[in-house]
Amino acid sequence: RIVVDSGFRTAPTVTSRRRVVLFPRTQNLKMASMTMSAACAQPLAARKFQGSRVSGKSVVRAAKRNVTVKAERDGPVLIGLAADSGCGKSTFMRRMTSLFGGKATPPEGGNPDSNTLISDSTTVLCLDDYHLNDRQGRKESGLTALNLKEQNFDLMYEQTKALMEGKAVDKPIYNHVTGVFDPAEKIESPNILILEGLHPFADERVRDMFDFKIYLDISDDVKFAWKIQRDMAERGHSLESIKASIEARKPDFDEFVDPQKQFADVVIQVLPTQLIPDDNEGKILRVRMIMKEGVENF
């Protein structure tokens, strides 16, 4: 559940003029995710929300219509989502893509370990596929995946540019289970291209191409709870290895990932509940959305 914290009264701790939107009470995580995704669709619909009641369905329809029209007129629309590892980027993007029609699934008949999601009009690329080295290579370099030196920004830029120009690309696949690169997969240019990962806004060449930029700002307590649930259940990591990884990655997150917040059009902050003492599962949350004002078409 997403629970509104009525105590948010301080100014947002991000640059540029922004306005804060508190999410309405939501009954479950699925609806919470949809609420956040629909809220992010609102700027794409070129609407203002300042406490007035606006139909969620009308916002979604307007967003879908505006994005589709822009894609038909100007070519693909590019949306970016930046966040730390284990912060719900993939789940958020599945909800986001559903706003534009169809269910997001891996490429049909392709690698079952593909990180790519494709729906009727959208393609979501996981930027982990643009790691410079595999897991063993990072052990040898002594650098984490958060370090900018471990990202192949040239390939990321070249393939994003090609997709935005309507061309197909052969994109690498980073296998999170084995820690190595699988054979590349062919990606066709979509109407809506979404890049999600650690560093979507770090390279200026790619950053300048985005139509809309989102940053998920997850508190350390919530991030820890989510990462344990994901990495233990889905990736088979031990609790000790997860804790060690989090501690080792924290300085690099602060240096290389968090600064991208300043480039976002929307920052979604997720914090622990204050309603339940000692809640360690991160299933009941406080959320606020900070939107940049004065952005053209937003």
Side-chain angles (χ1 to χ4, degrees):
R1 290 184 295 169
I2 301 299
V3 180
V4 172
D5 179 354
S6 59
F8 283 128
R9 293 291 183 269
T10 58
T13 56
V14 286
T15 58
S16 303
R17 184 182 178 189
R18 296 174 183 263
R19 53 196 167 91
V20 177
V21 177
L22 298 181
F23 291 102
R25 185 179 301 273
T26 320
Q27 297 303 315
N28 54 58
L29 274 178
K30 180 178 179 180
M31 284 302 299
S33 181
M34 286 300 291
T35 300
M36 290 191 287
S37 300
C40 283
Q42 176 196 332
L44 292 174
R47 289 172 179 266
K48 293 288 186 179
F49 176 74
Q50 298 179 355
S52 61
R53 290 187 176 276
V54 179
S55 166
K57 290 184 179 180
S58 65
V59 169
V60 170
R61 284 196 298 268
K64 181 178 180 180
R65 181 176 61 252
N66 288 0
V67 171
T68 301
V69 169
K70 185 181 186 305
E72 292 175 349
R73 184 186 66 225
D74 303 326
V77 171
L78 183 60
I79 299 172
L81 174 70
D84 195 7
S85 174
C87 286
K89 296 185 297 295
S90 298
T91 300
F92 184 89
M93 280 298 110
R94 285 187 178 91
R95 302 300 181 194
M96 188 77 171
T97 55
S98 69
L99 299 176
F100 302 110
K103 181 180 179 181
T105 59
E108 185 176 355
N111 189 331
D113 292 321
S114 172
N115 302 306
T116 302
L117 293 173
I118 298 176
S119 68
D120 293 349
S121 59
T122 64
T123 294
V124 181
L125 301 186
C126 173
L127 298 184
D128 289 356
D129 290 335
Y130 294 106
H131 286 334
L132 185 62
N133 293 307
D134 61 14
R135 191 175 296 157
Q136 181 59 37
R138 291 195 297 275
K139 287 182 179 179
E140 295 173 1
S141 72
L143 302 176
T144 72
L146 289 81
N147 194 302
L148 299 184
K149 294 180 181 179
E150 283 292 338
Q151 311 310 312
N152 191 341
F153 286 115
D154 286 341
L155 181 61
M156 172 182 160
Y157 165 69
E158 291 167 4
Q159 295 201 339
T160 301
K161 183 173 181 290
L163 290 168
M164 294 297 288
E165 292 173 347
K167 304 172 184 175
V169 302
D170 291 323
K171 183 189 62 59
I173 300 175
Y174 179 76
N175 191 312
H176 288 101
V177 177
T178 64
V180 301
F181 288 100
D182 289 343
E185 61 184 353
K186 186 174 184 179
I187 302 297
E188 301 288 346
S189 178
N191 288 333
I192 303 169
L193 177 62
I194 302 175
L195 305 183
E196 62 95 350
L198 297 169
H199 308 104
F201 315 140
D203 186 280
E204 185 178 4
R205 297 169 299 176
V206 178
R207 185 169 69 238
D208 289 344
M209 287 192 279
F210 282 106
D211 295 287
F212 187 48
K213 301 183 291 294
I214 307 166
Y215 185 92
L216 288 183
D217 190 11
I218 314 297
S219 74
D220 288 343
D221 290 339
V222 173
K223 188 186 303 181
F224 182 69
W226 285 359
K227 191 168 178 64
I228 286 178
Q229 293 174 41
R230 185 200 68 175
D231 286 0
M232 289 186 70
E234 298 180 14
R235 300 183 180 174
H237 297 178
S238 68
L239 180 60
E240 291 72 21
S241 68
I242 294 171
K243 289 181 177 179
S245 173
I246 290 174
E247 291 301 319
R249 293 161 61 97
K250 184 67 166 65
D252 279 359
F253 168 77
D254 293 338
E255 182 175 357
F256 301 117
V257 179
D258 196 57
Q260 294 174 97
K261 191 187 305 180
Q262 65 184 302
F263 303 119
D265 300 308
V266 169
V267 175
I268 299 177
Q269 295 184 335
V270 182
L271 305 100
T273 180
Q274 293 179 334
L275 302 178
I276 301 176
D278 302 320
D279 175 61
N280 297 318
E281 294 186 0
K283 292 183 178 180
I284 299 179
L285 306 167
R286 291 181 294 142
V287 176
R288 67 174 174 178
M289 184 174 71
I290 305 169
M291 299 177 60
K292 183 183 292 184
E293 292 188 330
V295 179
E296 185 179 359
N297 299 322
F298 285 80

